[in-house]
């Protein structure tokens, strides 16, 4: 049984601060890791993908992966009220470039306080 | 990325009836996926639809309840059969491009 665990929150962060979102996964063979953002009533949109151990930065977002600890995180710098949403961690157990469905965590509800 | 059109966007259905959801993508893709998002919950994979072969269903989902068609590389349908109130959910289709999955806007289904 593949599982992806996230703290459901809500996580409240002041505007301009760093928001830190965490995720653990159970399938040690997982190869691809994703963070999606989902606004209420909308479909998920991709924020970051990461495949190798270490950090990956894209603008205000940094994804971190530690396969030994089975841990993925997302840092949002200079948090803005528009970042308020539910952040979904998703894991693909297949090979990179393969075509397996994603296993999602329950999501962390992030609130950026102006 | 991909432009994914999903129809209908929402529907209210009576118990015991069936609803077919359509998913159209603007480019040819090998893999399409169907997910369910129950109220207040995250996404759960229903099945994977590969053009030219039978859909592959996840544990807890069966073809009789959720038949899927995949007639070509840009289109798929999911039918929710013999609906009950427990089927009230958002159903999303997804396509995979270069190892990234992109989602349609979803179909919000309410079963009375």
């Amino acid at each position: 049984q593949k599982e992806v665990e996230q703290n459901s929150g809500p996580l409240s962060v002041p505007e301009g601060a760093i928001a830190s979102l965490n995720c653990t996964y159970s399938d040690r063979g997982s190869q691809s890791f994703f963070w999606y953002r989902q606004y209420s009533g909308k479909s998920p949109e991709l924020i970051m993908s990461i495949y190798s151990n270490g950090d990956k930065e894209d603008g205000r977002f940094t994804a971190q992966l530690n396969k030994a600890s089975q841990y993925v995180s997302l840092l949002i710098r200079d948090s803005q009220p528009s970042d308020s949403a539910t952040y979904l961690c998703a894991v693909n157990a297949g090979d990179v470039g393969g075509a397996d469905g994603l296993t999602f965590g329950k999501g962390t509800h992030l609130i950026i306080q102006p | 990325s991909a432009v994914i059109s999903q129809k209908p966007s929402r529907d209210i259905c009576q118990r015991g009836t069936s609803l077919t959801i359509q998913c159209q993508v603007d480019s040819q893709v090998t893999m399409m996926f169907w997910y369910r998002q129950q109220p207040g919950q995250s996404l759960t994979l229903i099945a994977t639809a590969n053009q030219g072969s039978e859909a592959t269903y996840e544990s807890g989902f069966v073809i009789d309840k959720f038949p899927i068609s995949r007639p070509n590389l840009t289109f798929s349908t999911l039918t929710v059969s013999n609906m009950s109130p427990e089927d009230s959910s958002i159903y999303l289709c997804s396509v995979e491009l270069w190892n990234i999955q992109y989602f349609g806007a979803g179909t919000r289904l309410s079963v009375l």
Side-chain angles (χ1 to χ4, degrees):
Chain A
Q1 179 85 8
K2 304 170 192 173
E3 294 184 349
V4 177
E5 300 288 340
Q6 294 181 256
N7 188 325
S8 61
L11 174 65
S12 186
V13 174
E15 182 176 357
I18 296 174
S20 178
L21 306 167
N22 304 313
C23 170
T24 59
Y25 58 94
S26 64
D27 186 348
R28 189 170 286 277
S30 299
Q31 298 290 330
S32 307
F33 307 86
F34 307 90
W35 284 98
Y36 285 85
R37 178 175 63 196
Q38 187 174 31
Y39 293 114
S40 180
K42 302 295 186 181
S43 61
E45 57 177 325
L46 183 72
I47 298 296
M48 293 283 286
S49 61
I50 188 166
Y51 308 104
S52 303
N53 282 328
D55 295 359
K56 179 182 178 182
E57 185 175 320
D58 184 1
R60 294 186 297 113
F61 300 94
T62 298
Q64 300 173 317
L65 174 61
N66 184 326
K67 289 186 179 180
S69 300
Q70 297 174 240
Y71 176 87
V72 193
S73 67
L74 179 70
L75 300 177
I76 306 175
R77 290 180 300 279
D78 187 23
S79 297
Q80 303 296 312
S82 59
D83 295 326
S84 297
T86 296
Y87 288 80
L88 302 169
C89 175
V91 176
N92 186 330
D95 294 336
V96 176
D100 292 344
L102 296 174
T103 301
F104 282 85
K106 293 185 183 300
T108 297
H109 183 45
L110 176 65
I111 300 171
I112 306 301
Q113 295 179 321
Chain B
S1 64
V3 176
I4 304 167
S5 301
Q6 204 173 321
K7 295 180 182 179
S9 59
R10 60 177 62 230
D11 207 341
I12 301 173
C13 300
Q14 295 297 318
R15 182 194 301 258
T17 63
S18 298
L19 176 71
T20 295
I21 302 167
Q22 300 180 3
C23 181
Q24 178 82 48
V25 61
D26 68 341
S27 56
Q28 293 184 337
V29 294
T30 303
M31 305 303 294
M32 296 180 78
F33 305 88
W34 288 96
Y35 290 83
R36 180 175 73 182
Q37 187 170 28
Q38 294 179 302
Q41 301 298 312
S42 190
L43 283 76
T44 301
L45 180 65
I46 297 172
T48 300
N50 188 358
Q51 195 270 333
S53 63
E54 294 285 330
T56 302
Y57 289 82
E58 296 298 303
S59 176
F61 298 96
V62 295
I63 188 171
D64 290 347
K65 176 68 175 177
F66 298 101
I68 287 171
S69 77
R70 183 75 202 277
N72 57 52
L73 291 172
T74 63
F75 187 78
S76 179
T77 67
L78 170 76
T79 299
V80 186
S81 303
N82 188 24
M83 287 183 285
S84 67
E86 292 71 34
D87 295 319
S88 297
S89 188
I90 299 172
Y91 293 85
L92 299 113
C93 75
S94 165
V95 303
E96 186 265 340
L97 284 173
W98 300 107
N99 203 48
I100 301 296
Q101 289 196 18
Y102 300 94
F103 288 85
T107 296
R108 186 179 296 270
L109 172 62
S110 297
V111 183
L112 304 178

